[in-house]
Amino acid sequence: MATFLYRLGRFAFRRRHFIALFWVALLALAGVGAAGAPAAGNSSFSIPGTEAQKAFDLLEERFPGSSADGATARVVFKAPAGEKMTDADHKKTVQSTVDALGDGTEVARITDPYQAGGVSQDGTIAYASVSYKVSGMELEDSSRDALEGAAEDARDAGLTVEIGGDALQAVPHTGSAEIIGIGVAAVVLVITFGSLLAAGLPLITAIVGVGIGVASITALASTLDLGSTTSILASMIGLAVGIDYALFVVSRYRTELAEGQEREEAAGRAVGTAGSAVVFAGLTVVIALVGLAVVNIPMLTKMGVAAAGTVAIAVLIALTLIPALLGYAGRRVRPAGEKSKLLGGGRAAKKPQRPNMGTRWASFVVRRPLAVLLLGVVGLGAAAVPAASLELGLPDDGSQPTSTTQRRAYDLLSEGFGPGFNGPLVVVVDAKKSDDPQAVFRQTGEDIKGLANVVNVGPAQPNKAGDTATITVIPDAKPSSVTTEDLVHDIRDAGADIKADTEADVLVTGATAMNIDVSQKLNDALVPYLVLVVGLAFLLLIVVFRSILVPLKAALGFLLSVMAALGAVVAVYQWGWLSGLMGVEETGPIMSMMPIFMVGVVFGLAMDYEVFLVTRIREAYVHGEKPGQAVVTGFRYSARVVTAAAVIMMAVFSGFIGSSDSMVRMIGFGLAIAVLFDAFVVRMAIVPAVLALLGKKAWWLPKWLDRALPNVDVEGEALRTPGDTKDEDRELVKA
């Protein structure tokens, strides 16, 4: 591995024109594809194998043309104080609004509140439901303009009018905070390298990599049904790892220069050593992201694969484009320890250089390993406590900021019709095998009315064939409540009894039931996913470190950091701690896919720091240093760079907290706090403490396993052996 990457690094350095042209051409090709591709919409959300999805599919089959997956809007009207929506003038205004909306070419159907029971009991609030033939992201601007224009006309007539549903859903954006994150990364790189040029290389290559990845996702979005958030999450992860991977290669290059190597040789050695760590770190991230397919939720699988592709591009760029750009930079990238003249380089030192912060910290940990270990574990354990109160759900209009019309419509409907009105349950009764479908429909409705926590049960609405019907059930609690979840399970239990008596299938669907099923499916998949991802990465790390205990320690440290990060997410987004600082206007359940997504991404990123830090320690150990001294040596060379990488990654993830999408905001915060815990508590404190306590036992490996494992030589031992390795890159050129 190290020898091959060494030759690749020298080849890229020398053939920099070819390498640079290749990546520029790839970026241009992806850009052209993205420019000519249809805009990304909402990925079709399906959860195979769940009851809610079966019912949804049955609706599409038995109720053709119903546009079950089309956009919806609820236009909510409220009369001025002291007046009623049943007043003649207000009825006329509402009727005009309904007529205007019904003329839209994309409108499938619209309900009149006075004919469909859409007026509250006190008469102050009414609503009209609009169903469209296409999804919210596919709606033409003219349809949205007509919807907003009709609402504005009704407001001019003196009514309060708000619009709920997904018809006005916009493509999420990240805002200026993402740019701030990149700016912070630039400052950290300048401080780390003491050179503007050296600092600029990781930023340039990371942007190129993310550009290729996001442009490719955009180009394929329509073909592969990729959601609008897929590219945002891919750019979030790709930008963070892209900067980090390039940072480690550039840093190792400067170290090799400081040791007296020629520039081409230094580039080869940097890619052969740090590049090996990049490859295995990238593999762990890819394994974690692709492993999301285990959950069997297509949207989550696509997000994971797209992000994994962007990570793979970041790895390839770090191995090829970075040494090529180093070749262009020449002597303007200085050896480690030297600053550019602009930043104060060239001045005579006034006093002997003292050990750096990494050396001093590692020396302290090696002297007090037990105290550091206990303090780190107890601290992360305390941060993880809120995770015990974790409640899962999916965001709806109730989680929107109060400044949005969707949230105000949600609140008006709750005020006029009760909180459960925002999360109606759709019961689908398939009586095709029954002798008397009408009797089954009546019995199902009566049985549901007898359940607790039910406000209203609508009449059965059969299809043209008369063998299938839908029944709308209004719970008495809000959609995200435990009470509503219990009601869904109660209806399904009642349906099992009906099936036993009549052979009719009773299925519960709708957005609320879909959310409940998603949460359950994600909970059920979490343990298998952990076993698969952690197991594969554990085997990979055994190959890298040639040790049993070091990979085990890495996995346990990851569990600590991810639990602490989940605790912080619960404290902020569910309990409301520091909600004002984080811009959280509405607390509530944590997004259902948050735990499993965090497990996947954080595990990959945690292994990044593990590989970069511990390979440097192992490199010192295999070259003859004692275990404690190897820890100090490893920190002397890598602590500063790992710290910079962590700060950069935190800055990039924090930038996404400013996104307009609640899911992206929560993921940005969760990943940023997870990197904080993992990099600075686990990798910088717990890892050296454990290695110091274990001593030589940390690197123990059974002899039979040592013989069976391939020698990947991440430490670059082969590069230190005298021979003809400097000229071996010629073979790569010939190939």
Side-chain angles (χ1 to χ4, degrees):
M1 171 71 78
T3 304
F4 170 78
L5 293 179
Y6 165 81
R7 296 200 304 267
L8 178 63
R10 287 174 60 90
F11 172 77
F13 185 95
R14 188 169 57 254
R15 306 297 186 193
R16 46 189 172 272
H17 301 311
F18 168 76
I19 296 294
L21 182 62
F22 170 81
W23 285 109
V24 170
L26 193 59
L27 179 60
L29 183 64
V32 170
N42 265 357
S43 177
S44 55
F45 190 79
S46 62
I47 40 176
T50 62
E51 180 172 315
Q53 186 64 44
K54 291 177 183 176
F56 186 84
D57 295 339
L58 185 64
L59 283 175
E60 295 220 321
E61 176 189 340
R62 303 287 175 85
F63 292 81
S66 62
S67 301
D69 59 347
T72 59
R74 276 179 169 177
V75 184
V76 188
F77 307 88
K78 183 175 183 180
E83 301 179 19
K84 303 284 187 181
M85 287 303 304
T86 51
D87 295 347
D89 289 344
H90 297 330
K91 289 183 70 173
K92 183 178 179 180
T93 299
V94 172
Q95 189 62 54
S96 298
T97 303
V98 171
D99 292 342
L101 291 174
D103 293 336
T105 57
E106 292 184 311
V107 174
R109 58 188 175 277
I110 184 170
T111 63
D112 186 323
Y114 301 104
Q115 297 178 6
V119 182
S120 62
Q121 287 186 352
D122 62 5
T124 60
I125 296 174
Y127 75 93
S129 293
V130 187
S131 298
Y132 292 89
K133 299 174 184 177
V134 296
S135 68
M137 301 304 295
E138 295 172 323
L139 271 182
E140 295 181 359
D141 290 339
S142 58
S143 295
R144 291 194 180 92
D145 293 341
L147 184 60
E148 293 176 324
E152 193 59 40
D153 291 342
R155 291 189 187 103
D156 293 340
L159 297 176
T160 298
V161 186
E162 304 296 347
I163 305 172
D166 60 354
L168 295 183
Q169 186 174 11
V171 176
H173 60 274
T174 56
S176 59
E178 180 183 356
I179 306 301
I180 296 174
I182 296 176
V184 172
V187 172
V188 173
L189 287 169
V190 171
I191 295 173
T192 302
F193 289 140
S195 167
L196 294 175
L197 181 61
L201 293 181
L203 284 177
I204 293 170
T205 54
I207 291 172
V208 169
V210 169
I212 294 172
V214 171
S216 300
I217 291 170
T218 304
L220 299 172
S222 179
T223 305
L224 301 181
D225 191 26
L226 302 178
S228 54
T229 57
T230 303
S231 60
I232 294 179
L233 295 173
S235 66
M236 178 194 301
I237 297 170
L239 190 61
V241 300
I243 294 174
D244 279 6
Y245 294 165
L247 166 65
F248 282 104
V249 174
V250 173
S251 176
R252 188 58 185 255
Y253 171 77
R254 297 178 73 235
T255 299
E256 295 293 338
L257 288 179
E259 293 178 358
Q261 303 293 343
E262 294 294 330
R263 293 188 178 274
E264 183 177 331
E265 177 69 11
R269 288 177 177 269
V271 175
T273 51
S276 297
V278 165
V279 169
F280 284 100
L283 274 176
T284 58
V285 180
V286 169
I287 288 172
L289 291 171
V290 174
L292 291 170
V294 172
V295 185
N296 195 26
I297 295 180
M299 184 185 75
L300 193 60
T301 300
K302 292 171 186 176
M303 287 167 55
V305 172
T310 308
V311 171
I313 292 171
V315 171
L316 293 175
I317 283 180
L319 299 179
T320 57
L321 187 55
I322 280 291
L325 293 181
L326 290 172
Y328 282 118
R331 297 186 179 279
R332 285 169 290 184
V333 174
R334 297 171 178 272
E338 291 187 19
K339 295 182 179 180
S340 65
K341 293 182 179 179
L342 183 63
L343 298 175
R347 299 175 186 172
K350 295 183 179 180
K351 55 183 179 180
Q353 189 175 8
R354 56 185 301 208
N356 63 20
M357 180 65 74
T359 303
R360 298 197 300 274
W361 169 250
S363 299
F364 170 77
V365 174
V366 169
R367 291 195 304 271
R368 303 282 191 275
L370 188 58
V372 172
L373 176 62
L374 291 176
L375 186 61
V377 171
V378 171
L380 290 179
V385 168
S389 303
L390 178 68
E391 295 178 9
L392 298 177
L394 286 179
D396 55 19
D397 284 349
S399 62
Q400 296 267 16
T402 53
S403 59
T404 63
T405 186
Q406 292 94 330
R407 171 59 187 278
R408 291 195 293 265
Y410 180 97
D411 292 340
L412 284 176
L413 289 171
S414 296
E415 177 188 338
F417 301 92
F421 195 79
N422 284 293
L425 305 175
V426 179
V427 178
V428 183
V429 185
D430 179 8
K432 195 170 186 176
K433 298 179 181 178
S434 176
D435 297 331
D436 188 356
Q438 292 297 327
V440 174
F441 301 155
R442 287 193 299 271
Q443 177 187 345
T444 303
E446 292 298 323
D447 288 354
I448 294 174
K449 286 180 182 177
L451 298 175
N453 306 315
V454 174
V455 170
N456 182 56
V457 178
Q461 303 290 331
N463 63 347
K464 289 183 179 180
D467 58 10
T468 307
T470 61
I471 300 173
T472 302
V473 180
I474 306 299
D476 68 353
K478 64 181 183 179
S480 58
S481 68
V482 177
T483 303
T484 301
E485 182 177 349
D486 291 340
L487 176 59
V488 170
H489 294 310
D490 290 343
I491 295 174
R492 287 172 173 171
D493 291 340
D497 296 335
I498 294 172
K499 181 178 176 63
D501 296 337
T502 65
E503 295 188 9
D505 288 322
V506 179
L507 308 172
V508 186
T509 189
T512 301
M514 196 79 81
N515 291 352
I516 291 170
D517 287 351
V518 167
S519 298
Q520 186 61 50
K521 192 175 182 74
L522 289 167
N523 283 339
D524 294 342
L526 185 57
V527 173
Y529 175 70
L530 267 174
V531 171
L532 173 68
V533 172
V534 176
L536 288 176
F538 180 77
L539 295 176
L540 186 65
L541 292 179
I542 289 178
V543 174
V544 174
F545 296 130
R546 309 196 74 79
S547 164
I548 297 293
L549 296 180
V550 170
L552 180 62
K553 172 240 352 157
L556 294 177
F558 149 74
L559 291 176
L560 271 175
S561 58
V562 79
M563 289 304 298
L566 278 175
V569 170
V570 170
V572 173
Y573 288 90
Q574 186 175 309
W575 292 1
W577 293 6
L578 302 176
S579 57
L581 182 63
M582 293 293 113
V584 181
E585 295 190 23
E586 184 71 20
T587 59
I590 303 304
M591 184 184 61
S592 298
M593 63 181 67
M594 186 70 183
I596 200 162
F597 191 82
M598 276 191 63
V599 164
V601 177
V602 174
F603 181 78
L605 300 180
M607 294 307 102
D608 274 3
Y609 299 121
E610 181 74 14
V611 170
F612 288 131
L613 186 63
V614 179
T615 50
R616 207 64 160 107
I617 296 173
R618 175 170 172 77
E619 183 177 346
Y621 176 75
V622 298
H623 291 153
E625 294 189 9
K626 293 182 179 180
Q629 184 57 41
V631 171
V632 176
T633 300
F635 267 70
R636 179 168 69 248
Y637 288 113
S638 59
R640 179 184 178 91
V641 181
V642 169
T643 300
V647 172
I648 289 169
M649 200 170 278
M650 288 168 56
V652 172
F653 289 148
S654 297
F656 288 84
I657 298 176
S659 171
S660 62
D661 188 274
S662 58
M663 179 177 73
V664 176
R665 284 199 305 269
M666 190 179 294
I667 289 177
F669 171 79
L671 294 182
I673 200 72
V675 170
L676 173 66
F677 289 147
D678 193 85
F680 292 102
V681 181
V682 175
R683 308 304 154 190
M684 286 292 182
I686 294 178
V687 165
V690 171
L691 291 178
L693 287 171
L694 291 176
K696 291 184 178 180
K697 295 178 182 178
W699 309 107
W700 172 79
L701 185 70
K703 292 183 179 180
W704 64 269
L705 185 57
D706 186 46
R707 290 192 298 269
L709 292 177
N711 184 14
V712 295
D713 189 21
V714 177
E715 300 83 16
E717 182 66 21
L719 304 183
R720 295 175 176 265
T721 303
D724 198 33
T725 55
K726 289 186 180 182
D727 296 323
E728 287 177 348
D729 58 308
R730 294 174 185 168
E731 298 174 12
L732 187 64
V733 178
K734 294 177 183 178

